[in-house]
Amino acid sequence: MLLRIATLFGALAYAQLQSQNTTFNSSYHLTPKQIQAANLSTALVGQVELALNFERSNNAGSLTQFDPFYDLPNGVNQSNLPPYGSILKVEQYTNTTYYTLPATLSMSRFLYVSETLNGSRVVSSAYVLWPYQPRKF
């Protein structure tokens, strides 16, 4: 009996050590020009493609370039951004079916102007999680 239990635990441990599924909802491949420009080894190409396909498969909804929320408002462009901290856009309604949120929360997304490490202005996005009811102490 002890041998059966040990064998079962060994099989379970082995199953947990197997590599994760690499079948993603994306089939991106680096071009030879990209590989040469970055001077990537064959092993590194495989790792980069695996990471990219994983990331693309886990996007909430669609890529940002297809989401109109990320379009800058009229009169705002990347070359002439307002001061740091300026709110550019607040989403009036956020479709939370793309996200895993607790039932007690709602979410709002917004675009604002931030600063890179070198001090240049850049458009950033963020979200706020709002409780439906105030916390009770």
Side-chain angles (χ1 to χ4, degrees):
M1 181 66 157
L2 219 56
L3 183 58
R4 285 186 184 171
I5 292 173
T7 303
L8 177 63
F9 281 123
L12 289 172
Y14 179 76
Q16 290 177 348
L17 294 175
Q18 296 300 306
S19 62
Q20 297 296 312
N21 183 0
T22 57
T23 305
F24 302 117
N25 189 21
S26 175
S27 58
Y28 182 83
H29 295 285
L30 295 171
T31 66
K33 186 176 179 181
Q34 290 171 319
I35 295 168
Q36 184 179 10
N39 194 26
L40 300 175
S41 68
T42 303
L44 193 53
V45 167
Q47 293 171 355
V48 168
E49 288 177 347
L50 180 68
L52 285 169
N53 287 317
F54 173 81
E55 179 63 30
R56 286 172 169 232
S57 294
N58 286 292
N59 286 322
S62 64
L63 299 173
T64 58
Q65 65 257 36
F66 302 126
D67 187 343
F69 167 73
Y70 293 99
D71 295 341
L72 292 178
N74 291 333
V76 176
N77 60 54
Q78 293 282 2
S79 61
N80 189 22
L81 291 172
Y84 309 114
S86 298
I87 300 291
L88 301 176
K89 182 190 241 182
V90 176
E91 191 172 44
Q92 296 298 319
Y93 169 77
T94 301
N95 183 354
T96 58
T97 60
Y98 293 127
Y99 308 93
T100 305
L101 299 176
T104 59
L105 296 177
S106 184
M107 184 171 97
S108 295
R109 298 190 303 170
F110 60 96
L111 296 179
Y112 66 100
V113 180
S114 187
E115 179 179 15
T116 64
L117 290 174
N118 68 7
S120 55
R121 290 178 286 187
V122 63
V123 176
S124 297
S125 67
Y127 62 88
V128 175
L129 296 176
W130 302 99
Y132 282 117
Q133 296 179 358
R135 186 173 176 187
K136 295 178 184 175
F137 296 95

